[in-house]
């Protein structure tokens, strides 16, 4: 989501026109911490996960009249800098049966380029797809390290998860600092 110049990063001994191995990972790698706890006792267990794309599950956000979900609300529902508690199981981190397991997810290391995957499907209903619109604003300021500027989006067009068509919108910069979105569709 953030505009970057790859020239400076790629200048470390790369051939012209090539990207050195590891550059993509160094720009997009995020580290999240999932803390699982118990509602009945203070026991917790932490897991660190490195990922290049952070998954935000649209099915975690309750349905409301009007249907559209803002990306900031979706972020807060799943992966928040503040660590939103959510129920993840019947037994807590301690293994006792007195309390339910709850989880908090924190973003420990924010990448230079943030890649978000908005998941519209669930294993609870195979083949089903959440068709609500997701509102993306030009600037995404929900992270501790600052704002990210929206750059591109890949969209799946279709009524369910098993069939459909992909399109893409990409920002480009023109003269005098103007920016445009180009829509790519191989069906046209």
């Amino acid at each position: 989501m953030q505009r970057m110049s790859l020239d400076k990063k790629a200048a470390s001994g790369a051939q012209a026109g090539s990207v050195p191995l590891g550059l993509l990972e160094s720009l997009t790698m995020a580290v999240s911490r999932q803390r699982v706890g118990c509602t009945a006792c203070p026991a917790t267990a932490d897991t660190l996960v490195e990922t290049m794309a952070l998954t935000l599950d649209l099915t975690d956000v309750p349905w409301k009249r009007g249907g559209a979900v803002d990306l900031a609300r979706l972020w807060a529902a799943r992966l928040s800098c503040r660590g939103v508690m959510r129920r993840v199981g019947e037994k807590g981190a301690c293994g006792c049966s007195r309390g339910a397991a709850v989880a908090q997810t924190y973003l420990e290391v924010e990448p230079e380029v943030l890649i978000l995957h908005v998941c519209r499907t669930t294993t609870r209903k195979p083949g089903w797809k959440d068709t609500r619109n997701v509102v993306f604003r030009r600037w995404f300021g929900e992270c501790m390290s600052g704002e990210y500027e929206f750059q591109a989006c890949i969209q799946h067009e279709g009524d369910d998860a098993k069939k459909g068509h992909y399109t893409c919108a990409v920002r480009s910069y023109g003269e005098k600092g103007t920016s445009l979105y180009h829509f790519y569709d191989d069906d046209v």
Side-chain angles (χ1 to χ4, degrees):
M1 290 178 79
Q2 188 177 34
R3 182 160 170 31
M4 300 253 342
S5 169
L6 294 180
D7 297 337
K8 290 180 183 175
K9 297 277 183 182
S12 58
Q15 296 176 351
S18 70
V19 178
L21 186 62
L23 176 61
L24 181 62
E25 290 84 358
S26 70
L27 291 175
T28 62
M29 189 61 67
V31 178
S32 63
R33 174 185 303 272
Q34 183 174 29
R35 177 167 291 153
V36 178
C38 178
T39 57
C41 68
T44 60
D46 286 10
T47 305
L48 292 176
V49 178
E50 289 182 328
T51 184
M52 287 178 46
L54 299 170
T55 299
L56 303 177
D57 194 343
L58 187 57
T59 63
D60 280 348
V61 177
W63 282 82
K64 276 195 167 183
R65 199 170 199 153
V69 176
D70 189 275
L71 184 63
R73 183 168 171 231
L74 185 57
W75 178 270
R78 175 70 175 114
L79 185 69
S80 171
C81 298
R82 294 173 297 281
V84 175
M85 293 292 272
R86 62 186 177 86
R87 188 178 173 123
V88 294
E90 297 303 318
K91 290 189 177 184
C94 59
C96 78
S97 57
R98 296 175 301 168
V102 290
Q104 293 176 295
T105 304
Y106 303 92
L107 194 55
E108 290 282 318
V109 177
E110 295 173 357
E112 291 187 50
V113 177
L114 180 62
I115 299 173
L116 298 176
H117 168 231
V118 177
C119 182
R120 297 176 171 273
T121 61
T122 178
T123 57
R124 296 183 300 269
K125 297 179 188 176
W128 178 81
K129 177 182 172 185
D130 190 330
T131 58
R132 289 180 287 175
N133 290 329
V134 177
V135 178
F136 288 79
R137 307 209 186 283
R138 181 173 176 191
W139 293 96
F140 182 70
E142 305 303 311
C143 295
M144 293 183 288
S145 63
E147 292 185 321
Y148 288 89
E149 185 177 10
F150 180 77
Q151 295 299 315
C153 179
I154 299 172
Q155 303 170 10
H156 178 263
E157 316 265 338
D159 293 334
D160 64 47
K162 295 182 179 178
K163 59 185 176 186
H165 176 72
Y166 285 95
T167 60
C168 181
V170 178
R171 169 181 246 134
S172 68
Y173 293 86
E175 296 177 18
K176 300 179 184 175
T178 61
S179 66
L180 303 167
Y181 287 101
H182 297 278
F183 293 93
Y184 298 95
D185 184 349
D186 61 2
D187 241 11
V188 177

